[in-house]
Amino acid sequence: MGTQEQPCYTLIQGPADTEQPSEMQLKQDLENGDIPVKTAALKKVIQLILNGERLPGILMTVIRFVMPLEDHTIKKLLLVFWEIVPKTTPDGKLLQEMILVCDAYRKDLSHPNEFIRGSTLRFLCKLKEPELLEPLMPTIRTCLEHRHSYVRRNAVLAIFTIYKNFDFLIPDAPELISNFLEGEQDMSCKRNAFMMLIHADQERALTYLSTCIDQVNSFGDILQLVIVELIYKVCHANPGERARFIRCIYNLLNSNSPAVRYEAAGTLVTLSSAPTAIKAAANCYIELIVKESDNNVKLIVLDRLVALKDSPQQEKILQELAMDVLRILSTPDLEVRKKTLNLALELVTLRSVNEMVEVLKKEVGKTHNIVEHEDTGKYRQLLVRTLHTISMKFPEVAANVIPILMDFLSDNNELAATDVLVFVREAIQRFEVLRSQIIERLLSALPTICSVTVQCHTLWILGEYASTAVEVLGVVSAVRGSLGELPIVEDEMRKAAGEASEEDGSGDRANQQQQQKVTADGTYASQSAFSTTTSSRKADDRPPLRKYLLEGNFYLGAVIANTLVKLAFRHTSLESDPSKQNSFCAEVMLVISSIVHLGKSGLPQKSMTDDDYDRMMLCLQVVSERTPSLASVFTEQCRSALSHMLTAKAEEEEALRRDRKASKVIEHVDDHIAFTHLTKGSDPSSTDDMFDLSMSMAVSGGKKEGIDLSTSKLSKVTQLTGFSDPVYAEAYVHINQYDIVLDVLIVNQTADTLQNCTLELATLGDLKLVEKPQPVVLAPHDFCNIKANVKVASTENGFIFGNIVYDVKGSTSDRNVVILNDIHVDIMDYIVPASCTDLEFRQMWLEFEWENKV
């Protein structure tokens, strides 16, 4: 390796399994071939030079026989060739042949074709030899006056790069570009020129912006973005300039480009904490979310809107925009809706709660009138939870919310109906005034409920909170109506016998309607219209509770028994006549014994479990004894336990809210104090530039505070080979959720050139290698970095293993192999903590069968 630093070239990967052509053959093709042959030969030359081959005799051949050609493909390849070919002698002096090349550059810069001119100017940005650039400077200057904008904007880029690297070649570049900017009309050219002035001469950029600050809205979006960047940098470095440019940022909030509006809103919030500025930025964010079609953009902007709420002063301003935030619910994406509802919950106040409830009620109504979809049920569930939280936070709106939510009890979506009952349970416990209204609604909805789980919850609430004689009798009447005629077994037997005789009596009519059917195995069978409708009519005619019991859901029977026992105790306390007490208890015992008899009869599809049988028999015994101690257990202690649970839940939520507020530390007591005059200018913390910080956060994936390299990055480095191996390798394992990136450092510790050095990896477990790493060429004692991506398919531990295979240049032996150490991927590295409700946990427990895996 030479001591001089080599520039990074454009990389072109060539096939590794093809035979390498000789230098003589390449010369013949470049001298005597036609255009396609010369094109193919030039491509092979480029690939060989990139792979480390030295072809000293090729340079003059290319200059003599390829450079004079006017073919555009040849011109493109020549730009790559001139970039990668060695231009200096071993002692660092420019090769004599490059004078001819420089003359060719000058001809291309004066070429009548604007594409050749523009691409040559772009190529000059990559040159690092001032001796080659100096003769071309007059021609580059003339390109600023070319008629085509493609040439002019690339000329500006070339001047910018040359001035940045070798300012002595064009010392008047800022003045030249400033004059060019004043007379230019094309937006892309103005953007490049303005960007150069920002970095080369900020005063000239500010002077130009001051002259045209009223016309900024008419500029193109690419120029507006650069203007926003300049205003931020200037105002951040010199806060006194804010008043001068803040109006321009306000105007850019009305730009036609969503990107400009987004950047302008972010800059406005950073530069000003005035209520009008925060309100304008928040309105801009809301408009962007509503009008933008990409869900990823919606989520990003919504996160910025949520971040505005972190400051107490800004939260008060956003509370005035709570109703505007609800406009985002028009987005069909569930994740966007979820974040929007969470934000609206935190912004709702006593002034806006009634309007918000009305909007949410309309959203609930919309979910009934659309085609049922998986996300529709989840969105309905989110709306129910939001209304639940609002009602608990503002009890005065609970009376308006309860009627609309009761309609969900008959919904086919069990999750939404269950959430409604969770809300009803809490509301009926906390708001005594609403108890009679809630019980009346539950009684009317009981016959229409479609889910066994919802039936169980509803019966528990009715049994616990029916407190007057009318309500108690109403609940018992509703239960008996849903069970049908008692005893259940005798009634079912009578119905079965009656249907059988009806079938016998109508046999002749049924035979007349018989028709031949072909069965699955090819035989013929007779079927009548009467026989096909009997069973379905039997199932449809049954009352809902009886239908569930006959399907084998006897946990529902235990809930019914428990409910009736509570009602019996309550009726006994309300009714003083012993005969009426005994009559009521006898009716309760009849219902419970009928359910027990049905469970033991063999008629249901599933037999009754021993737990359900014991529970119902216990209820029968309790009703027959009716002791005061048992009455206390059923009528008082159940409600007391619920009250304790709700109180504990509220305290836990309040503690979490307090912890979140307490964790927002504005300034730590042991933070370093940054003295601006004593800080190095290159220190990023001294300028705290928003664009630089946002770029670093985007690359690193988040804000990292107090990073200690010895405990973070270095701890993730795994040594793959030994120090005495011919090839040393170590890997930095970076895990980002379900992606694992291996950054492998490979060092050639030998004095030979290693060709086709390939990192071969394999995985064990649910890990998948995304792509195979490409082979590289390593010079003696050289090193390189190879990256490999691995996808995580499931939450299990895994291993990554493999080897390094390479050929030694000039050797005729077999390929050499170095075995690598295994890399252990721990499950704890990519598991991220999350929270869920009890209901969601139980649902996932059943769905994923966690009891078999834990």
Side-chain angles (χ1 to χ4, degrees), residues 60 83 276 417 499:
M60 275 310 298
E83 184 183 351
T276 52
E499 286 166 0

Side-chain angles (χ1 to χ4, degrees), residues 152-165:
R152 296 199 301 275
R153 70 168 175 260
N154 283 308
V156 173
L157 280 180
I159 291 174
F160 178 30
T161 309
I162 294 170
Y163 179 76
K164 185 169 62 174
N165 295 329

Side-chain angles (χ1 to χ4, degrees), residues 322-324 326 329 341 344-345 347-366 379 382-405 408 423:
M323 300 309 300
D324 292 326
L326 290 180
L329 292 177
L341 289 173
L345 269 179
L347 297 179
V348 64
T349 60
L350 195 58
R351 292 167 55 186
S352 60
V353 64
N354 289 319
E355 291 181 68
M356 186 173 289
V357 167
E358 290 301 320
V359 172
L360 294 178
K361 284 165 70 174
K362 289 180 182 177
E363 288 294 318
V364 168
K366 290 177 186 177
Y379 180 46
L382 285 175
L383 289 171
V384 170
R385 291 181 179 178
T386 306
L387 287 168
H388 174 189
T389 309
I390 290 177
S391 300
M392 295 302 109
K393 195 174 179 181
F394 303 96
E396 55 271 11
V397 301
N400 295 330
V401 172
I402 288 171
I404 192 72
L405 292 186
F408 283 113
F423 162 63

Side-chain angles (χ1 to χ4, degrees), residues 32-325:
N32 305 321
D34 53 8
I35 294 294
V37 174
K38 289 186 176 183
T39 303
L42 190 55
K43 287 182 179 179
K44 291 177 182 176
V45 169
I46 292 171
Q47 290 167 3
L48 288 173
I49 294 176
L50 285 173
N51 286 334
E53 297 290 340
R54 293 193 174 275
L55 305 173
I58 288 289
L59 183 59
M60 275 310 298
T61 305
V62 172
I63 292 173
R64 290 176 58 200
F65 298 101
V66 181
M67 200 165 64
L69 298 176
E70 293 294 327
D71 183 73
H72 283 195
T73 305
I74 295 285
K75 290 282 187 187
K76 290 180 187 177
L77 291 172
L78 278 174
L79 293 178
V80 180
F81 175 77
W82 296 130
E83 184 183 351
I84 66 172
V85 73
K87 304 175 186 63
T88 57
T89 58
D91 57 356
K93 293 183 179 180
L94 195 69
L95 291 172
Q96 295 295 325
E97 293 90 338
M98 297 310 294
I99 298 174
L100 300 173
V101 178
C102 185
D103 186 58
Y105 292 158
R106 186 165 51 248
K107 288 180 181 178
D108 284 345
L109 288 175
S110 305
H111 199 281
N113 185 293
E114 59 269 7
F115 171 75
I116 292 178
R117 276 201 188 195
S119 57
T120 306
L121 286 166
R122 290 294 294 268
F123 159 71
L124 293 180
C125 296
K126 301 178 182 180
L127 280 185
K128 303 299 180 185
E129 290 80 18
E131 299 91 340
L132 286 176
L133 292 169
E134 187 174 6
L136 304 175
M137 294 313 300
T139 316
I140 295 174
R141 285 172 177 266
T142 58
C143 288
L144 287 174
E145 301 171 1
H146 192 270
R147 59 180 178 79
H148 203 283
S149 61
Y150 178 71
V151 178
R152 296 199 301 275
R153 70 168 175 260
N154 283 308
V156 173
L157 280 180
I159 291 174
F160 178 30
T161 309
I162 294 170
Y163 179 76
K164 185 169 62 174
N165 295 329
F166 315 105
D167 56 350
F168 59 87
L169 292 179
I170 183 167
D172 61 336
E175 182 182 356
L176 178 67
I177 295 301
S178 179
N179 296 333
F180 167 80
L181 186 58
E182 291 177 1
E184 182 57 49
Q185 298 299 322
D186 183 75
M187 284 302 159
S188 60
C189 298
K190 293 177 79 170
R191 181 256 180 196
N192 287 359
F194 193 73
M195 185 180 66
M196 176 190 166
L197 289 181
I198 290 175
H199 294 89
D201 192 342
Q202 202 172 91
E203 284 301 321
R204 290 183 185 272
L206 288 175
T207 305
Y208 172 76
L209 180 59
S210 301
T211 59
C212 60
I213 197 165
D214 295 330
Q215 290 88 36
V216 167
N217 277 347
S218 61
F219 291 167
D221 55 348
I222 55 175
L223 181 56
Q224 287 177 342
L225 285 171
V226 180
I227 289 173
V228 172
E229 180 181 351
L230 171 67
I231 291 175
Y232 175 80
K233 286 187 174 182
V234 170
C235 295
H236 198 276
N238 186 8
E241 296 284 350
R242 291 183 182 180
R244 181 181 173 191
F245 295 110
I246 199 82
R247 178 54 54 189
C248 179
I249 295 293
Y250 270 107
N251 293 336
L252 288 176
L253 291 178
N254 301 317
S255 171
N256 295 325
S257 168
V260 175
R261 295 204 300 274
Y262 174 76
E263 292 294 341
T267 303
L268 184 61
V269 170
T270 309
L271 298 181
S272 174
S273 57
T276 52
I278 303 300
K279 194 170 184 179
N283 276 320
C284 181
Y285 283 146
I286 293 171
E287 289 295 329
L288 282 173
I289 298 169
V290 172
K291 293 181 179 179
E292 189 60 41
S293 58
D294 190 346
N295 287 331
N296 293 320
V297 175
K298 288 177 183 285
L299 289 170
I300 291 170
V301 181
L302 192 55
D303 285 339
R304 295 294 294 268
L305 196 59
V306 172
L308 281 180
K309 182 188 57 62
D310 291 341
S311 171
Q313 293 81 8
Q314 294 175 0
E315 185 176 9
K316 291 179 181 178
I317 300 167
L318 287 178
Q319 286 173 354
E320 301 174 10
L321 303 175
M323 300 309 300
D324 292 326
V325 169

Side-chain angles (χ1 to χ4, degrees), residues 824-845:
H824 177 241
V825 180
D826 192 359
I827 179 178
M828 298 308 296
D829 291 335
Y830 51 82
I831 282 186
V832 180
S835 59
C836 64
T837 62
D838 293 343
L839 183 64
E840 291 170 342
F841 179 79
R842 286 194 292 270
Q843 185 182 359
M844 288 188 286
W845 182 276

Side-chain angles (χ1 to χ4, degrees), residues 372-530:
E372 192 68 27
H373 186 264
E374 180 185 359
D375 285 349
T376 307
K378 292 180 179 178
Y379 180 46
R380 199 176 297 159
Q381 190 179 2
L382 285 175
L383 289 171
V384 170
R385 291 181 179 178
T386 306
L387 287 168
H388 174 189
T389 309
I390 290 177
S391 300
M392 295 302 109
K393 195 174 179 181
F394 303 96
E396 55 271 11
V397 301
N400 295 330
V401 172
I402 288 171
I404 192 72
L405 292 186
M406 286 297 184
D407 296 337
F408 283 113
L409 292 179
S410 55
D411 196 85
N412 291 326
N413 183 8
E414 184 179 313
L415 295 176
T418 308
D419 279 343
V420 170
L421 287 172
V422 170
F423 162 63
V424 168
R425 183 186 65 185
E426 190 168 352
I428 203 172
Q429 169 68 18
R430 292 191 176 183
F431 313 130
E432 294 187 11
V433 236
L434 301 176
R435 284 183 183 176
S436 58
Q437 178 189 354
I438 294 174
I439 288 174
E440 183 184 347
R441 288 273 182 175
L442 288 177
L443 286 174
S444 61
L446 190 62
T448 61
I449 294 175
C450 308
S451 166
V452 178
T453 307
V454 179
Q455 284 275 15
C456 293
H457 287 46
T458 308
L459 288 170
W460 187 92
I461 293 173
L462 287 172
E464 189 64 45
Y465 290 98
S467 52
T468 65
V470 176
E471 291 173 352
V472 169
L473 293 174
V475 174
V476 174
S477 173
V479 171
R480 286 206 59 170
S482 294
L483 285 173
E485 190 176 344
L486 299 177
I488 300 175
V489 176
E490 284 74 1
D491 186 51
E492 286 293 316
M493 298 296 287
R494 280 197 305 272
K495 285 183 179 179
E499 286 166 0
S501 62
E502 186 181 346
E503 288 175 11
D504 293 340
S506 58
D508 295 337
R509 284 177 292 142
N511 288 332
Q512 292 173 5
Q513 297 178 9
Q514 284 179 352
Q515 54 180 338
Q516 293 289 334
K517 291 285 184 181
V518 181
T519 60
D521 58 355
T523 59
Y524 288 95
S526 297
Q527 184 184 45
S528 68
F530 178 77

